[in-house]
Amino acid sequence: MKSIITKYTKNCMICGKPTTTEHHFLFGKGIRSLADEDGVKGPVCDEHHNMGEITRRIHDNSAAEALSKMVGQLAWEKNRVAAGMTEDEAREAFRKRYGVSYL
Ligand SMILES: [Zn+2]
Ligand SMILES: [Zn+2]
């Protein structure tokens, strides 16, 4: 898994159990594929991804989904800042690439 979120991809980032799938922090129409390309994803177990109780998982939990997108954007921007952009430039570059800003 190519991930800009974590280098520890063998364990669920929420509970530490063995990874069974990957979560794209940015998702939605036309967005998930960009997140895939950019590595804005992390390791999760099925329960914490989309199969556990609704209050324990990321998907279909509106607050968790909103936070996921904010974290994804921050990680993406941090990457660009590390490559030499200012924070404002990185924010604009994110908006341009993804067509949206969650922050
Ligand atoms: Zn888990
Ligand atoms: Zn997901």
Side-chain angles (χ1 to χ4, degrees), residues 70-88:
M70 291 180 208
V71 168
Q73 180 170 351
L74 285 171
W76 191 94
E77 291 177 2
K78 177 182 161 223
N79 235 31
R80 294 310 185 275
V81 169
M85 277 187 186
T86 66
E87 289 187 13
D88 284 345

Side-chain angles (χ1 to χ4, degrees), residues 21-25 27 32 44 49-50 58-59 68:
T21 188
E22 56 188 27
H23 170 63
H24 293 71
F25 282 72
F27 52 91
R32 188 185 183 280
V44 282
H49 190 226
N50 58 5
I58 299 168
H59 286 288
S68 166

Side-chain angles (χ1 to χ4, degrees), residues 16-101:
K17 282 183 196 159
T19 300
T20 48
T21 188
E22 56 188 27
H23 170 63
H24 293 71
F25 282 72
L26 307 165
F27 52 91
K29 211 175 177 187
I31 289 178
R32 188 185 183 280
S33 57
L34 293 174
D36 197 62
E37 219 173 277
D38 295 346
V40 192
K41 54 193 181 177
V44 282
C45 69
D46 288 335
E47 184 187 355
H48 286 116
H49 190 226
N50 58 5
M51 287 163 69
E53 269 179 64
I54 205 144
T55 56
R56 293 175 55 81
R57 70 195 198 203
I58 299 168
H59 286 288
D60 307 315
N61 177 334
S62 62
E65 287 194 346
L67 285 166
S68 166
K69 291 172 181 177
M70 291 180 208
V71 168
Q73 180 170 351
L74 285 171
W76 191 94
E77 291 177 2
K78 177 182 161 223
N79 235 31
R80 294 310 185 275
V81 169
M85 277 187 186
T86 66
E87 289 187 13
D88 284 345
E89 286 167 349
R91 178 68 38 99
E92 230 14 77
F94 182 89
R95 196 190 303 276
K96 203 167 179 188
R97 178 158 172 78
Y98 285 88
V100 67
S101 176

